[in-house]
Amino acid sequence: QKEVEQDPGPLSVPEGAIVSLNCTYSNSAFQYFMWYRQYSRKGPELLMYTYSSGNKEDGRFTAQVDKSSKYISLFIRDSQPSDSATYLCAMSAHSSASKIIFGSGTRLSIRP
Amino acid sequence: GAGVSQTPSNKVTEKGKYVELRCDPISGHTALYWYRQSLGQGPEFLIYFQGTGAADDSGLPNDRFFAVRPEGSVSTLKIQRTERGDSAVYLCASSRGGLSSYNEQFFGPGTRLTVL
């Protein structure tokens, strides 16, 4: 069993829809929870990170972490065609320099 | 400023050959990471450096893989006796390092390695 599980999709929604992306994990040591966006043939770029349980909002993006259920989510409001990419959840045990464990990524397509 | 750069962007080699992949981190970043991303998968951790030393090499799959960072800046990932299963995108990332706050890792575009 992988430490981080993520539905690979693909997920296709119409422009303006609310998108929900999710991951589960098994390692209780994870404290930092990240969402990365990756365009084709590019490296991942950090969208947002959350420490421990709770919600965090940044513009159209909201990240939620529920450590009791070992479940994290990313919501995208008013989705745009430019949001079409692969979204990777990721986790680490420390804030300092350390390895990140990634999910397999969900391919998202926003239809105009 | 300049981001993380990786060279070459593409590398095609034959089974059994030796390859070197290079990473130039963001200036001033003391931590440098290597990941491997296979098709349809997320990046998989290989090794990370704090300065010149390998702080965690637990992700290196076997002794054919080796990485160096002799002056604490540029790093080279070396793969001996390449196998077809080594075909993947090799990603490099760097971060400020230090213990006091969250260390965002900034990724390069990757080197696409194909072993024939």
Side-chain angles (χ1 to χ4, degrees), chain A residues 2 34 38 41 95 97-98, chain B residues 37 41 48 103 105 112:
Chain A
K2 292 183 178 180
M34 291 78 78
Q38 186 174 26
R41 295 188 175 262
S95 64
S98 64
Chain B
Q37 187 172 24
Q41 299 297 313
Y48 100 85
N103 260 245
Q105 295 185 20
R112 185 173 299 271

Side-chain angles (χ1 to χ4, degrees), chain A residues 31-34 48-56 63-65:
Chain A
Q31 296 282 354
Y32 289 84
F33 304 89
M34 291 78 78
M48 51 199 309
Y49 78 92
T50 307
Y51 171 69
S52 194
S53 284
N55 294 357
K56 188 172 185 178
Q64 290 185 350
V65 175

Side-chain angles (χ1 to χ4, degrees), chain B residues 21-44:
Chain B
L21 311 178
R22 175 187 167 107
C23 173
D24 274 274
I26 293 171
S27 177
H29 280 192
T30 61
L32 183 146
Y33 314 77
W34 285 100
Y35 294 83
R36 176 170 70 176
Q37 187 172 24
S38 300
L39 192 62
Q41 299 297 313
E44 175 191 9

Side-chain angles (χ1 to χ4, degrees), chain B residues 26-103:
Chain B
I26 293 171
S27 177
H29 280 192
T30 61
L32 183 146
Y33 314 77
W34 285 100
Y35 294 83
R36 176 170 70 176
Q37 187 172 24
S38 300
L39 192 62
Q41 299 297 313
E44 175 191 9
F45 171 78
L46 296 177
I47 183 171
Y48 100 85
F49 291 85
Q50 184 61 54
T52 60
D56 183 351
D57 64 359
S58 62
L60 293 177
N62 51 60
D63 62 4
R64 296 186 298 104
F65 288 74
F66 189 71
V68 295
R69 194 186 186 200
E71 297 178 356
S73 179
V74 170
S75 175
T76 304
L77 179 66
K78 308 181 181 194
I79 310 174
Q80 298 177 322
R81 304 183 304 280
T82 51
E83 300 177 357
R84 293 193 179 89
D86 298 335
S87 296
V89 175
Y90 288 80
L91 293 165
C92 177
S94 69
S95 72
R96 287 181 289 104
L99 302 175
S100 60
S101 61
Y102 178 71
N103 260 245

